[in-house]
Structures are given as C-alpha cells and as structure tokens.
Amino acid sequence: MLLRCYAVATGLLVATYLAWPYELRQWPFLAVTLGAVLPAVVLALRRAPAGARAPWWLMLVALVLYNAGNVVWVVLTTTGGRATGDGSVADLFFTVGGVVVLGAAIALVRHRGRGDAGGVIDSVITAVAIGGVLWDAVLLPALTARHVPDGRQASLFVVVLVITGTLGAMLRVSSSTRSAPVRLFTAGVALTLAGNVASSLTLDANGVRPDWTNMVFLAAYAALGCAAVHPSVAAVVAQGQAPADDLSRARLTFLGVMLALPPLVGGVRAILNLPTDGILVALSSASLIPLVMVRIARLSAQRRRAEQALHRLATRDILTGLPNRAACLARLASLLAPSSPPASASPPPALSSPALSPIDSSAARDTGELAVLFCDLDGFKPVNDRLGHAAGDELLVAVADRLRTCVRDGDLVSRFGGDEFVLLCTGADAVPAVSARIAELAAHPFTVAGEQVRIGLSVGAARARPGDTTDELLGRADQAMYEAKKSKTVGALTLVNA
C-alpha cells in the first residue's frame, strides 16, 4: 500500500512538472527530492538488517549531496538572477554525489553476489569504455558546437563517466536477480544517465538546458524512492550465491576491445579532424587501468588459492588435518636422500605440522637420530562398531589432536591410513621422549558421542641406518608395530623397538 501511494504521488509530481508555472517549478522538484526520496531512503535504512546497511547509508549520503546541489541550483535561479544553476558549485555536489552512488551500487552488489568484485569490475570497465565513446563521439561535439566552457565540460565528463560505471555495476547484479528494488535502483541510475545525456545535447547558445530535462531527473529520483519503500527492500542486501567468475577467452577478448575502444575512437576522430578531447579521452582510458590491475590481482589471488587448496587436498588428511600418507613418505624420502638440503632450508609449509621445523637430514641419517614410530590404535574397532562411524571419526580426530602435542620441534605426525599414524622424530632421546608422551595420551579416556572410551596404542619404533630406503625403514617400524600388537593393552602404550 505504501509503495502504491508513493508511486502515485511521485508519479503525479513528475507528470505535472511542466504544468506548473515556471517560477514555481522548484517546489514539485524539491517535494520529490527532499520531501519524498530522502525519507524513503531513511525508511530503507531502518528496514535493512544490521551489518548490511552500507548501500543505504551511502545512498543517503549521495542524496544529501544531490539535494545540496539542488538547493544551490534553485537559490541561484530564483534569487541570484541566473538563467540556470548548471556550471556553478552545484555541479560539484552532483559530481561527488554520483561517486557516492557508485559506491552504494558496488556495496549492494557485494552483498547480493557475496563479493562478486570480478563481475562488477568487468561491467564497470565495459560501461566506462562505452561512456568514453559516448562522450567523445556524441556529447563532446555537441558541447563544442555550443561553446560550453571547458570547466563545465570537464564536470559533465566526470558525471557521465561515473554514472556509466554505476549503471554497469547495477546491470551486473540486476541481470541475475528478480528483485524489484534492485531493478528500480538500476532504472533510477539509467534515468540519471539519460538526463545528463539529454541535458548535454539540448543546451542552447547560452548554455541553458530546456526545463523538460528536469522531468527525467525527477523520474530517476522517483525510481530510487520506489526502490527504497518497496516491501522487499530488506532482501536487497541479502547475500546470494556468488556467480562464477570465469574469465574465458571470449570474455577476455571482449574486455580487451572495451579497453581499446576509447583511445581508438578518439584517434580516428583526430585523424579525421573531428572534435576530440585528447585529455579527457586519456583520463577515461587511465581510469580503467586501476580496475584492470585490481581484476588481474584478484585473478592471481584466486589462482593461488586454488593451487593451495589442491596442494592441501594432495598432502593433507581431510578428516584430521594431519599430513597424509603421501606427505609423510615425501618427507621421509627427503630426510633419507643423500642430497638433502642443508639445515637452513625449511620444508614446504603445507607438509609441516604445528611443531615442524627444519631438520639436517644428513646428520640424522649418519648419527641414527632419525626415528620412525608406527602407531596403530588398539580398541578402535569395538568403539567404531558400537557407536557408529561418526563416533569413530570423532575418536580419530581426538587422537590426532593429542598426537600433535606429543611431538617436539622438528618432528612430524601424520595419518598413514585407517587408524594408523606415523611419527617422524629426531634426536638421540626421540623414541623414549615421544613414547612417554604417547603413553600418557593413552592413559586418559576420550569423550566420544557423549561416552567415555579408552583405547591403547601399539607402537613400533625404528631408527634410520646408513643407506636406508623409505620402504626399509618403514618396513622395520611396521614389523615392530605388529610385534607390539601381540601384547597390546587397551588404555596403555605397547612399544617394541625394531
């Protein structure tokens, strides 16, 4: 009901604008911009959920700036004796307001698309490129023919460029949603751009635009107000599914064409001796460079994250987060290799446990200070069978957490598979020191699925010998573990040295 009344009231003011006496037209204009749209945005701000109000806060700031410009414009034309407020300090308010609207649009897109910055940047690049062409091929010739001052041309250029960028951002999000407020917001931005283009093309010899162009701006305000009072306005900032950011070859080619378009059109016009503004065309092209840099940086970061995720999947046990069998074998092979790196070379971070640090593997091999502890859980199967696989997984995670506390700096604990864990330790006292910690681990019960359960650990320990291979060292530790299994005890550690 509120939306219907609001739309009817603002629609009537827009439709009857030209029917008002010229000297009184500022009142319906201010009634829409100050009396209708500003309270509507305040209402939207109150309806928006906490933590997601940034778009409406920015829109409120933008409207304050726009209305400050409108008031200055009205004062200059009614009491200052000027035919128009264009080209005055009012343009500064409009320009800054346009930049803030762009920020509001981007904030809205970030909420709707969970940070769809890639899509927004692509849309803004396209829109700004088209805006640059629109300026150089259409608006600039019209302004030049009417001898509009350079300062005012520069102001109009910034406004057009900012609004086209805003429109590009809004088209990105409105194309993937059926939200009426988002589409009304987009329509308001499109009408604002249309009003600026129409104003630039219809200036008379004195630089005064026809008053009907104000109807276009009023319609833009009305659309933004309708978006703000729409019943589903709270859902505008609701987070949605992040769209796929796939920079395909075709899309990359298209963006390249968009980047080249403004300077290409400007160059062609210069060759043909047609009016062109090299400085402004250069500025439009230069404004795209930061966007492209951000786009490239995001793609690079996205690729690094994907590589790191693949590396984690390849080297980490999904359940416990410990290094997996492959990571353990790779680390052991590097420790036993004749050409091992010096002590100052640190291992890949993804293969390290919380207590992992560089090891001089050649020293460990020569002195027998490298030891492998092959651990198998005793009593795990009864717990898994009685309480279920979820409880069994919970127990494995708890054991992994405790084993992490058993190793020292430079040691590695890994899940080798099933209920087997392999520890790589260094130091002359590695086996007794670590096994004592494991014994303490086994002595305390675990809470699994709301119950207290106990397990034991059968551990086979093997020290590295000169010339050992990975299979030989692990084989001795594995054989010793099976010997320990013969006298296993639940709730205690059973250790056999190879």
Side-chain angles (χ1 to χ4, degrees), residues 194-453:
N196 280 279
V197 172
S199 299
S200 301
L201 294 177
T202 56
L203 292 173
D204 61 20
N206 297 318
V208 179
R209 57 186 171 87
D211 206 36
W212 64 263
T213 56
N214 282 327
M215 292 183 64
V216 183
F217 290 113
L218 276 181
Y221 281 112
L224 293 174
C226 288
V229 300
H230 197 280
S232 62
V233 66
V236 168
V237 290
Q239 289 187 343
Q241 292 294 328
D245 188 12
D246 182 18
L247 195 60
S248 61
R249 182 177 299 177
R251 189 172 175 185
L252 188 60
T253 302
F254 176 76
L255 290 176
V257 172
M258 290 297 103
L259 285 172
L261 201 56
L264 182 62
V265 171
V268 171
R269 290 183 62 84
I271 292 173
L272 298 176
N273 291 322
L274 297 173
T276 185
D277 192 329
I279 295 177
L280 296 184
V281 171
L283 286 175
S284 68
S285 301
S287 66
L288 299 177
I289 294 175
L291 295 173
V292 174
M293 297 298 292
V294 171
R295 188 73 171 103
I296 293 173
R298 287 185 60 83
L299 288 173
S300 178
Q302 182 180 348
R303 179 175 179 177
R304 284 197 303 271
R305 287 193 297 269
E307 290 175 346
Q308 291 168 357
L310 288 173
H311 194 262
R312 282 194 297 271
L313 288 174
T315 60
R316 289 282 173 180
D317 174 57
I318 297 176
L319 177 64
T320 63
L322 293 175
N324 60 14
R325 181 189 186 103
C328 176
L329 293 175
R331 178 65 186 276
L332 183 58
S334 70
L335 294 173
L336 294 174
S339 57
S340 297
S344 60
S346 60
L351 299 183
S352 62
S353 69
L356 196 60
S357 63
I359 301 175
D360 187 343
S361 60
S362 60
R365 183 178 62 254
D366 294 341
T367 62
E369 290 188 353
L370 171 63
V372 173
L373 278 69
F374 206 118
C375 309
D376 187 83
L377 304 187
D378 300 324
F380 172 76
K381 188 175 185 301
V383 173
N384 195 62
D385 292 343
R386 183 169 62 89
L387 299 179
H389 291 293
D393 289 345
E394 186 180 349
L395 179 57
L396 289 172
V397 172
V399 171
D401 290 339
R402 290 196 188 180
L403 284 175
R404 286 189 179 96
T405 66
C406 295
V407 294
R408 299 93 42 84
D409 290 344
D411 296 343
L412 175 88
V413 54
S414 67
R415 184 186 177 197
F416 211 62
D419 60 347
E420 295 178 338
F421 297 85
V422 171
L423 282 66
L424 307 181
C425 307
T426 57
D429 63 339
V431 174
V434 174
S435 60
R437 296 182 183 182
I438 298 176
E440 186 178 353
L441 174 159
H444 294 83
F446 293 84
T447 301
V448 175
E451 293 191 22
Q452 296 282 319
V453 299

